[in-house]
Amino acid sequence: MKYNNPVIKGFYPDPSVCKVKDTYYLVCSSFQYFPGVPIFESRDLINWKQIGHCLTRESQVQLGEVTSSGGVFAPTIRHNNGRFYMTTTNDTTRQNFYVWTDDIYGEWSEPIYVDQGGIDPDLYFEDGKTYFMSNGKDDNGIGGIVQCEIDIETGTKLSPSRSIWQGTGGRYLESPHMYKINGRYYLMASEGGTEYGHMVVYARGDSISGPFEAYPDNPVLTNRNLGGYELQAVGHGDLVQDDDGHWWMLHLGFRQIGQWLTYHHLGREVFLTPVTFGEDGWFTAGYNGTTLTSFETDRISNHVAQQEKKIFTFENTDWNLDWCYLRHPAQENYKLDIDKLQLKGTEVSLDTPKSPTFIGIRQRDFNAEISCDVKLTSGEAGITLYMDEHHHYDLAVQKVANEYKVIERLNIGDIKSIEHEVDLGSDNHTTLVIRANHERYSFFIHANGEDLLLGTAQTRYLSSEVAGGFTGVLIGLYAHGEDSAAEFSKFKCEYL
């Protein structure tokens, strides 16, 4: 059959995967968004359904005034003796921790902290022992992939932290994962930075603590030399074996907006690439070491069809799964119904690293039409295309004195400009419409059966290349102002 990449679209970076019986489970980074660490499940590796989050309580993760792209980095999910474990880093507090659950569909434990630095932690279980890895420096100040043994019940270190591999020389050695395959230990990681030079590398050894011999043809997977190709920044992968003995890599990558336009704003997404072991015990990945937009494979049955959801509404999404908040929300400012949303604003705006009244859903593809009816009582409310507190485009209704208007506002770094506005008079109810393509967003209000164009803005100014950071655009519904209040209805995001 033929499948298309990415297999999970939109801002779902740093995937990690494990398999239990006939089901695969995958987690991704969430940074400053809450709930933290979304969880997906699949039976076929190409169709993924979100089933929850690992971090659903404020006691599990401190997000406070975490700036954009701070917070929760690079989780790993593993299963051992009937229990799931997810380990991750709160990069803002510089703490590595893990949580666990016996019910993947239920709540997860309070965090258990490990006294080892670095980021991108990994757990490996063998013979009743638990090994913890991260990138950083060991107890002697030596950098690389750092490993120690821990007590899985308490997180207490049972051995010193020791650097076991320094990689192949690429910058930003990160995302370590350990596997035992056919009697050998394989240590996979990434280098080059999670940008256009990203790459997957690996080594193997006869002991869990090394020494490790690097694969002679590293990197095993990278798109760094594919100029003009849509898929870039391939890296940060995790291996999994299917029921037929085939190996796969789930990894991140991103789609740039045009063949020669090296910008991406949808965030880092989840890709699936086949892996093949040779007779010499080394493995290769993808097509000549690259990831493609689609793969023809006989590893997945032709009876499996890749499904893609094209329309997202209030009615067909789940507030607890598909939507998320900026940091820890004040729940009294949100009323979530099956067909409408009521928001009460505060003095906290989208421009500050706090928790404005905001609830968002990830933009999953380039071409889309987003619409929503907004009824404003006071203050300001509308739709924001949100990359971070310094880079977002807002289409909003404002009340000024006793009259209303719609504004198109662009926030690009230190430049914050209301580009266009339309007076509504005493009418406090309108339909906001945003049309998106690869290169531009266009902003409309719908009235009297027609769409009135306010203006357009380039997508590149919401890209990571401009904004920096590790996230992607969210389609947010928000309210701002001490006494602001608004009702949203008929929300629809349709991918074209």
Side-chain angles (χ1 to χ4, degrees), residues 168-189:
T168 69
R171 66 174 182 167
Y172 305 140
L173 177 63
E174 59 190 341
S175 65
H177 291 304
M178 182 76 75
Y179 317 91
K180 191 173 185 180
I181 303 171
N182 297 327
R184 285 195 177 110
Y185 295 90
Y186 289 77
L187 176 53
M188 192 168 76

Side-chain angles (χ1 to χ4, degrees), residues 278-430:
E279 293 182 2
D280 57 3
W282 297 112
F283 65 81
T284 57
Y287 174 74
N288 293 330
T290 65
T291 284
L292 304 179
T293 55
S294 63
F295 281 100
E296 290 272 4
T297 179
D298 59 3
R299 298 183 178 191
I300 299 174
S301 169
N302 288 327
H303 298 296
V304 176
Q306 189 171 17
Q307 307 292 331
E308 184 174 357
K309 186 174 181 177
K310 291 288 190 178
I311 298 175
F312 294 78
T313 66
F314 286 157
E315 291 83 359
N316 75 2
T317 56
D318 188 320
W319 292 113
N320 296 315
L321 296 178
D322 301 288
W323 299 79
C324 60
Y325 305 93
L326 275 166
R327 306 168 187 90
H328 296 299
Q331 291 289 357
E332 64 271 17
N333 295 326
Y334 302 79
K335 185 177 180 182
L336 313 175
D337 293 320
I338 191 170
D339 60 352
K340 64 183 178 181
L341 166 69
Q342 295 179 31
L343 297 180
K344 294 173 64 176
T346 69
E347 76 284 357
V348 178
S349 75
L350 297 172
D351 301 337
T352 59
K354 296 183 180 179
S355 187
T357 301
F358 165 103
I359 187 166
I361 193 168
R362 290 155 171 84
Q363 183 180 344
R364 297 170 188 256
D365 229 327
F366 295 109
N367 299 313
E369 180 170 297
I370 305 150
S371 60
C372 193
D373 285 8
V374 181
K375 183 177 181 181
L376 183 71
T377 302
S378 58
E380 173 183 321
I383 306 173
T384 181
L385 302 170
Y386 186 91
M387 171 58 89
D388 63 27
E389 55 263 29
H390 303 298
H391 301 83
H392 53 94
Y393 297 159
D394 310 327
L395 182 62
V397 186
Q398 284 185 338
K399 183 179 182 182
V400 179
N402 291 317
E403 297 200 335
Y404 299 86
K405 61 182 178 180
V406 174
I407 65 165
E408 174 210 353
R409 180 172 52 224
L410 309 184
N411 303 266
I412 305 169
D414 294 328
I415 303 171
K416 304 182 187 304
S417 172
I418 295 178
E419 294 290 293
H420 300 91
E421 57 183 67
V422 175
D423 291 327
L424 299 177
S426 61
D427 188 0
N428 70 337
H429 182 273
T430 191

Side-chain angles (χ1 to χ4, degrees), residues 189-201:
S190 290
E191 294 176 342
T194 184
E195 304 150 11
Y196 289 85
H198 214 21
M199 54 185 172
V200 179
V201 297

Side-chain angles (χ1 to χ4, degrees), residues 127-314:
D127 297 335
K129 296 182 178 181
T130 305
Y131 298 89
F132 182 89
M133 288 197 310
S134 58
N135 78 322
K137 292 185 178 180
D138 67 12
D139 291 346
N140 296 314
I142 301 173
I145 302 303
V146 178
Q147 179 191 80
C148 68
E149 184 185 348
I150 65 169
D151 180 341
I152 193 60
E153 296 298 323
T154 65
T156 303
K157 285 173 59 174
L158 302 179
S159 70
S161 295
R162 190 172 72 86
S163 182
I164 60 173
W165 193 47
Q166 282 71 51
T168 69
R171 66 174 182 167
Y172 305 140
L173 177 63
E174 59 190 341
S175 65
H177 291 304
M178 182 76 75
Y179 317 91
K180 191 173 185 180
I181 303 171
N182 297 327
R184 285 195 177 110
Y185 295 90
Y186 289 77
L187 176 53
M188 192 168 76
S190 290
E191 294 176 342
T194 184
E195 304 150 11
Y196 289 85
H198 214 21
M199 54 185 172
V200 179
V201 297
Y202 76 98
R204 71 184 186 192
D206 295 324
S207 166
I208 194 170
S209 299
F212 291 95
E213 175 191 4
Y215 172 51
D217 295 320
N218 272 320
V220 67
L221 185 68
T222 185
N223 281 20
R224 65 184 180 181
N225 294 324
L226 298 183
Y229 192 62
E230 181 183 45
L231 305 186
Q232 297 292 335
V234 168
H236 202 114
D238 201 0
L239 295 178
V240 69
Q241 188 178 31
D242 66 23
D243 283 336
D244 296 319
H246 301 300
W247 286 90
W248 301 84
M249 190 187 302
L250 277 301
H251 58 87
L252 67 76
F254 60 67
R255 293 176 285 165
Q256 61 185 38
I257 65 175
Q259 184 176 10
W260 305 114
L261 295 172
T262 53
Y263 302 90
H264 74 285
H265 62 285
L266 300 183
R268 298 171 299 155
E269 305 174 292
V270 180
F271 294 77
L272 176 69
T273 297
V275 168
T276 302
F277 276 82
E279 293 182 2
D280 57 3
W282 297 112
F283 65 81
T284 57
Y287 174 74
N288 293 330
T290 65
T291 284
L292 304 179
T293 55
S294 63
F295 281 100
E296 290 272 4
T297 179
D298 59 3
R299 298 183 178 191
I300 299 174
S301 169
N302 288 327
H303 298 296
V304 176
Q306 189 171 17
Q307 307 292 331
E308 184 174 357
K309 186 174 181 177
K310 291 288 190 178
I311 298 175
F312 294 78
T313 66
F314 286 157

